[in-house]
Amino acid sequence: MTDTYDVIHSVLTSTFKIPEDLISPDRTLEQLEMDSLALAEFALILQERLEVRVEEEHATRATTLAQVTEHLDTLRARSVTAP
């Protein structure tokens, strides 16, 4: 996966104390037991670390980590190519 996934993985293990063996690209945020407050905090931390805003519809309980990563990679690519 990308460095974006590495940041997501790091946030989940360090901030949310989710065991590494539970984290994989195909896991949903719900499977990681992220409630709505945790999702909001997760999105804010990712925004601070990656300097892109996570859209709410791309960080729901049904979203997989791979989907979050793909969305953030797309946003990061756009911010690099924007004039």
Side-chain angles (χ1 to χ4, degrees):
M1 297 240 55
T2 65
D3 64 325
T4 303
Y5 182 79
D6 293 339
V7 171
I8 290 169
H9 188 279
S10 173
V11 168
L12 291 172
T13 57
S14 64
T15 303
F16 295 96
K17 308 298 183 209
I18 296 173
E20 284 193 41
D21 61 328
L22 295 181
I23 300 171
S24 66
D26 62 332
R27 295 285 245 174
T28 66
L29 295 170
E30 180 176 27
Q31 290 172 316
L32 299 176
E33 299 184 11
M34 305 274 288
D35 62 17
S36 59
L37 183 58
L39 288 175
E41 184 178 359
F42 180 61
L44 182 61
I45 292 168
L46 292 177
Q47 180 176 336
E48 289 172 355
R49 294 215 184 155
L50 299 171
E51 299 180 353
V52 291
R53 186 170 186 272
V54 181
E55 305 293 329
E56 277 185 42
E57 63 269 13
H58 295 283
T60 68
R61 290 176 50 97
T63 308
T64 66
L65 296 180
Q67 290 169 321
V68 174
T69 302
E70 181 180 343
H71 173 65
L72 291 172
D73 281 341
T74 300
L75 293 176
R76 291 176 79 195
R78 280 189 208 149
S79 70
V80 170
T81 59

